[in-house]
Amino acid sequence: MKKDIHPKLVPCKIICNGEVVLNTYSTKPEIHVEVWSGNHPFWTGQQRFVDTEGRVEKFQKRFGDSYKRKK
């Protein structure tokens, strides 16, 4: 078996919204996440609509009134 080919593991803090949510081991000392099981709608049971990119506005700006739904 080859020696010294694996990266070193260090204690790691998983951070969500500026709050440490989990301590584990990784090759990085800190990992920043936006969603974890403590605030994900599937695990909390709370429905939340997130439109961070403005998809509806982007669509309306791109197509405007030219897009008509067929009935």
Side-chain angles (χ1 to χ4, degrees):
M1 184 182 243
K2 295 182 181 180
K3 292 186 177 187
D4 299 326
I5 62 168
H6 298 288
K8 301 294 181 196
L9 287 180
V10 296
C12 175
K13 296 178 184 176
I14 309 295
I15 300 172
C16 182
N17 297 329
E19 180 182 334
V20 176
V21 294
L22 183 67
N23 290 316
T24 186
Y25 288 92
S26 178
T27 56
K28 297 181 180 182
E30 285 187 355
I31 299 174
H32 295 269
V33 296
E34 294 180 14
V35 177
W36 69 290
S37 63
N39 67 0
H40 192 277
F42 180 80
W43 300 106
T44 61
Q46 298 174 348
Q47 186 64 27
R48 179 173 66 156
F49 179 74
V50 179
D51 186 18
T52 57
E53 298 178 16
R55 290 176 280 193
V56 173
E57 291 80 12
K58 187 176 179 181
F59 179 84
Q60 288 175 343
K61 182 179 176 184
R62 185 172 180 187
F63 294 104
D65 292 332
S66 66
Y67 178 78
K68 301 285 183 184
R69 178 183 273 182
K70 295 181 181 181
K71 292 183 180 182

